Amino acid sequence: MAETLRRVLNAGRAAGPGEDGAAGPPLLLLGAPRSAQTSLLFAAALEAAGEGRGPVLFLTRRPLQSLPLSTPAARDHWRLQKVRFQYPSSIQELLQLLASAHEAPAPAPSLLLLDGLEEYLAEDPGAQEAAYLAALLLDTAAYFSHRLGANGSCGLVVALETQKEADGDTPHLALLHRYFPAQCRLQPDALDLGQHCCLRASLELGKLSPRTEWSVTFLPSGEMKTTPWPAQASLLSPDKKGSSAGSQFLTLGCDGLPGPGLPLDGVLTSRTGTDSKT
């Protein structure tokens, strides 16, 4: 997942060292409320679904209400059909789903995504429960990787909403870092963009790995623009939109902000027989 997320943020530019298409280490996606974690997870799901290695398993408590329409990937029904959404509503259901993964007859996924870890941990906030859930997530991803065999490995990313930037303000974050050596932090950008939602994404694949950063801007239209940090001088110029070298536009809504889309229930329910979430 670490490499998949980097490809999403680095879209349209040449691959760098280590960007060889491998899943990368398990990744923890950290961000404050309204920091577009769900949007980035969905973009990563579409990216992985287009690689042809296997389906994507997206776990979240509640169905998302809409899905972006203006990206080629989001309009690609073949990709959407490869994203399997499941909605464990409690930590008990989540643990049961993970523990029974070996019984599922469906093809092994190439990417496992979990959105809203903080909501599950809030139900049972003990350190032992957090460690057990983290270990079970890694074990499930390892099992899927074993099933994939020569076809590749299963990436893993878990999104955790933080109330404050300091690690000490988030319960069990230090413990989770032991299980997830890679992390991506989403922080508000100090640049005043008015109605725009602007974030700074910092990706680290491990303690010895260099940090890579991007400026991520969500425009009122729902477009997501990424540029390597700190190259962001053109973000405020509507007449230059898309003209800066190395920039990439995607149509994704910043979490909590309105954006173009259509209900996922109308897209995926007919195939899965369950609700669907973006």
Side-chain angles (χ1 to χ4, degrees), residues 51-69:
E51 294 172 357
R53 295 189 295 116
V56 176
L57 182 56
F58 197 122
L59 306 179
T60 182
R61 274 184 91 136
R62 290 173 294 275
L64 292 179
Q65 298 304 310
S66 64
L67 113 102
L69 289 178

Side-chain angles (χ1 to χ4, degrees), residues 3 24 36 48 69 77 79 92 95 116 122 131 133 143-144 154 171 195 197 240 243 255 261 275:
E3 293 300 340
L69 289 178
H77 287 279
R79 291 198 189 203
Q92 290 79 16
L95 292 173
L133 176 55
Y143 168 73
F144 288 145
C154 178
Q195 294 182 351
C197 174
K240 295 182 180 180
S243 62
D255 297 351
D275 289 333

Side-chain angles (χ1 to χ4, degrees), residues 193-216:
L193 294 177
Q195 294 182 351
H196 300 173
C197 174
C198 192
L199 304 167
R200 180 176 179 176
S202 302
L203 178 64
E204 294 182 76
L205 301 186
K207 292 182 179 180
L208 301 180
S209 173
R211 176 184 300 176
T212 310
E213 297 186 319
W214 295 264
S215 179
V216 184

